[in-house]
Amino acid sequence: MILRKKLIAGNWKMNKTPADGVALAKELVAAAGKQADVEVVVCPPFTALDGVGKALEGSLLKLGAQNMHFEASGAFTGEISGGMLRDAGATDVIIGGPNYQLAYLDLPTDPKTKLPPAELKLHVNLEALLRL
């Protein structure tokens, strides 16, 4: 049996400006130190990805995104693709979740149909964090 490392993912939702996010990321890096028995992913708002990613450099903490569109590009106002997230430094992305589906009528309700995790890893090298 393969034991998987425990994962803690912090979804910042619609909180923190880019500057506030960088400050919090620096605090998290200092608090986590070199502790490696738990995988830690921070998922700031899209506007803070770049700065938070830079603040996490050299640490064991990973940068995640809060959502992504299943298309690689197109006329999808306000959306972001997996490739864009990867270029911004994200290694993980949260997919699905009841609050997002209710607020934006994001159907179908099964997040695995949005983009299969294996395909996500293959095409844009992001790990999927499925919210059920």
Side-chain angles (χ1 to χ4, degrees):
M1 182 168 115
I2 297 174
L3 293 178
R4 189 178 165 120
K5 188 184 283 191
K6 291 182 180 171
L7 170 75
I8 298 172
N11 183 355
W12 297 4
K13 308 252 180 198
M14 196 175 70
N15 295 294
K16 305 292 179 197
T17 64
D20 292 339
V22 168
L24 178 56
K26 288 178 180 178
E27 290 177 30
L28 292 170
V29 167
K34 297 297 177 192
Q35 176 288 120
D37 55 332
V38 175
E39 186 175 354
V40 179
V41 181
V42 296
C43 302
F46 295 135
T47 56
L49 283 174
D50 183 58
V52 170
K54 288 176 180 157
L56 298 179
E57 285 178 0
S59 77
L60 297 176
L61 280 68
K62 295 170 56 181
L63 181 66
Q66 296 179 10
N67 194 28
M68 63 167 269
H69 196 276
F70 60 88
E71 293 286 351
S73 65
F76 304 102
T77 302
E79 294 291 336
I80 193 163
S81 72
M84 292 171 168
L85 295 174
R86 192 71 192 133
D87 283 353
T91 57
D92 297 72
V93 61
I94 298 169
I95 301 289
N99 61 339
Y100 189 86
Q101 291 158 356
L102 289 174
Y104 298 102
L105 299 176
D106 186 23
L107 301 173
T109 57
D110 183 359
K112 294 185 292 294
T113 62
K114 192 165 191 176
L115 189 65
E119 188 175 326
L120 184 64
K121 181 72 173 166
L122 176 67
H123 293 294
V124 290
N125 200 27
L126 289 170
E127 291 291 334
L129 305 174
L130 296 178
R131 283 181 14 205
L132 304 173

